[in-house]
Amino acid sequence: MSVFEKRSYICLVKHSEVRNTIVRTASTLFYEKGYNLTGINEIIAEAGIAKATLYNHFASKEDICVAYIQYKNQVFLHEIGVYCYAKPKGNKQILGVFDFLLQFFKGDGFYGCWCLNTVSEIPSDNEKILVEIQKEKNEFLKFIDKLIANNRENLNDAQVSSLSKQVYLLYEGAVAESHLHKQDWPIKMAKSMAEQLLN
C-alpha cells in the first residue's frame, strides 16, 4: 500500500467514524425526544462536532432521519435474529419475537416503535422518510416470513406469507399498545393469540 493509499484509507475510516457518531447521537435523541423536538444544533452539541462537519456528512435533517431509521432497524434485526434463533427449533423460535419485545419493553429506554413514532411526526407528503420506513417494515416482515418457513416446513409459500402477516400485525399492535398503556399485557396477549394461530 502506498503512502497515498494509506492516507486515503485513514481519511475514509475517520469519515466513517464521524458519520457513525452523528447517526448514533441522532438516533438516541430522535428515539427518546422525537424527530420534531430534536434540533440540528442539539445533535451537533451532543456529538461534539462542528456544524460544517455535520453538513459534510448529511445535507439535511431529513437525511439524518433516513440514516437513523436504517441504523435502528439494522441493530434491531440483528438482535432479534440472534435472540429467536437461539431458542429451540419450532414454535418457540417464532414466538421468540414476542419474548424479545417483552425484554425490550422491560429494559431501559422503551419508547415504542421508532418507525411509527417518526411517521406520526412527518408530513404526509414526505416520501423520502416514508419510503424508508416502509422498506424497513417490509424487511421485518421478511424476517418473520423466513422464521416461519424455517420452523413450519409443512406450509406452502402462500400459507407462510399469510401466517407471517398475522404474526407481524400482532407484534406491531403489541409494540404500539404496550407503549400507549405503559404495561406489558398487550405483548403477553399478542403472544397468546400467536400461539393459537400456530397450533
Side-chain angles (χ1 to χ4, degrees), residues 87-96 147 150-152 198:
K87 289 186 171 289
K89 194 168 173 63
N91 286 352
K92 288 186 182 297
Q93 284 194 4
I94 302 169
L95 296 170
L147 198 60
N150 288 343
N151 288 284
R152 299 297 292 268
L198 294 170

Side-chain angles (χ1 to χ4, degrees), residues 22-35:
I22 295 168
V23 172
R24 285 194 298 267
T25 302
S27 293
T28 299
L29 292 169
F30 286 160
Y31 186 56
E32 292 180 1
K33 297 183 62 177
Y35 176 66

Side-chain angles (χ1 to χ4, degrees), residues 11 31 43 71 74 94 100 106 114 146 148 158 175 187:
C11 286
Y31 186 56
I43 296 170
Y71 169 74
Q74 182 181 24
I94 302 169
F100 178 85
K106 289 181 175 180
W114 47 91
K146 184 179 177 183
I148 291 172
V175 175
I187 302 169

